[in-house]
Amino acid sequence: MAADSPLFKTADIWTKKRDFFWFSYDSIQEWIDSDKEYWEKEPQKYADNEYYQFYKLPREKWGSRVENYLQIGSDFGAGISKLGIRLNEIGQDNPPVYILIEGDTITEWNILDDHLSDFLMRSICDVLCCGEYDTAARVLEKMGWIVDEAYQEDFPTLDMNALLKQRSEYGADAVCGCAYDEEKHLLIAAKIDKADSRNRRIMIYRKE
C-alpha cells in the first residue's frame, strides 16, 4: 500500500519500488569489492579490519559472525543507521525490526522494535506529525486534504496517554500516535517529548 507513495519520500522506511531486495550481506560484499585490491597489497595493515575479516571468510560461513538482514530502511538524510528484519525470522507473522548504527561493528544489530507492526505504526505517525519534514502535509494538501496544526486543548476529551503509545525515533523520550475522531471526521497525529512537555506536535487531517 505504501509502495512508491510520495507520503514516505522523507521517511526512514524504504517504500520505493525496485526489482531486487537488499540484504546486509550485500552491504558487506559491496564494501569488500571496493577495498579488496588495497587489502591484498598490504594484508597485515588491514588484519583488524572487520570487513577484511569477512573477506577472508567464505560467504557461506558469514553466519558464524552475524545473521543476514533484509534491509527495509535507514535514517533518512543522515544515513547513520540501517533498519532490517533478520532473514531467519522473516517468515514470522510479526517479526522484530533491528537497527545497526554507524560507528558500531557490522555485527551489532540490535532490536529496535519487538514487532514489525510497531515499527510501521511509528513510521506513519512520524510522517503525519511533520516533525522533521512537512512532506505529508504538502502531499496530502495536493490530494485535497485540509491540514492544520492543533493543540491538546482542542480535544478536551482525548486521552493523550492512550493515544501516545508508540515510541518515536526523534528523541529518547518521544512518543507518538494516531487516532480518528468520528464526530469531527478528523485524523489526528500527535507527538510529544515526555522529557519536555512543551515539545509537542499535533496535526489534524480532514477531507470534505
Side-chain angles (χ1 to χ4, degrees):
M1 292 176 66
D4 278 347
S5 169
L7 195 69
F8 298 95
K9 187 176 181 180
T10 52
D12 291 349
I13 186 174
W14 293 343
T15 59
K16 184 176 178 60
K17 284 184 179 178
R18 51 187 176 175
D19 298 326
F20 61 93
F21 296 106
W22 190 255
F23 293 89
S24 57
Y25 281 10
D26 296 323
S27 295
I28 295 173
Q29 188 64 55
E30 186 178 57
W31 195 291
I32 289 173
D33 292 341
S34 68
D35 284 9
K36 62 183 179 182
E37 62 177 300
Y38 305 106
W39 297 340
E40 288 302 322
K41 292 177 182 177
E42 299 180 272
Q44 293 182 339
K45 181 179 178 180
Y46 299 99
D48 294 331
N49 183 291
E50 56 182 342
Y51 288 97
Y52 176 79
Q53 293 169 6
F54 274 91
Y55 171 54
K56 302 303 291 184
L57 193 68
R59 182 162 173 150
E60 58 270 19
K61 293 186 178 181
W62 286 2
S64 64
R65 297 181 63 91
V66 64
E67 296 284 353
N68 198 5
Y69 294 80
L70 170 67
Q71 293 185 203
I72 62 172
S74 60
D75 182 14
F76 181 80
I80 60 174
S81 62
K82 298 176 181 177
L83 309 171
I85 301 173
R86 188 177 287 176
L87 186 57
N88 63 9
E89 295 176 344
I90 206 166
Q92 297 179 15
D93 290 337
N94 203 2
V97 174
Y98 295 80
I99 186 170
L100 176 66
I101 299 174
E102 186 181 69
D104 290 345
T105 69
I106 55 178
T107 61
E108 288 188 74
W109 286 84
N110 295 300
I111 287 183
L112 175 66
D113 290 297
D114 290 330
H115 302 290
L116 176 61
S117 58
D118 294 334
F119 171 75
L120 295 175
M121 179 60 74
R122 186 176 70 254
S123 296
I124 188 64
C125 287
D126 275 330
V127 164
L128 292 174
C129 285
C130 300
E132 300 294 309
Y133 305 94
D134 63 352
T135 304
R138 289 186 286 105
V139 169
L140 292 175
E141 282 176 342
K142 289 181 180 179
M143 297 173 62
W145 290 79
I146 298 172
V147 183
D148 288 302
E149 186 170 0
Y151 301 92
Q152 187 168 347
E153 49 266 31
D154 295 331
F155 306 97
T157 61
L158 181 63
D159 185 348
M160 294 297 289
N161 290 326
L163 172 65
L164 300 169
K165 293 187 290 187
Q166 297 295 141
R167 183 172 56 84
S168 172
E169 274 298 280
Y170 305 105
D173 295 305
V175 289
C176 61
C178 300
Y180 183 68
D181 187 317
E182 294 184 2
E183 183 179 341
K184 296 182 179 180
H185 303 291
L186 293 176
L187 175 64
I188 305 165
K191 179 189 296 186
I192 184 172
D193 186 343
K194 288 186 174 181
D196 182 0
S197 60
R198 296 170 298 177
N199 185 14
R200 66 177 64 203
R201 190 78 181 271
I202 301 176
M203 300 293 293
I204 56 174
Y205 298 84
R206 57 191 173 90
K207 195 171 186 180
E208 300 296 343

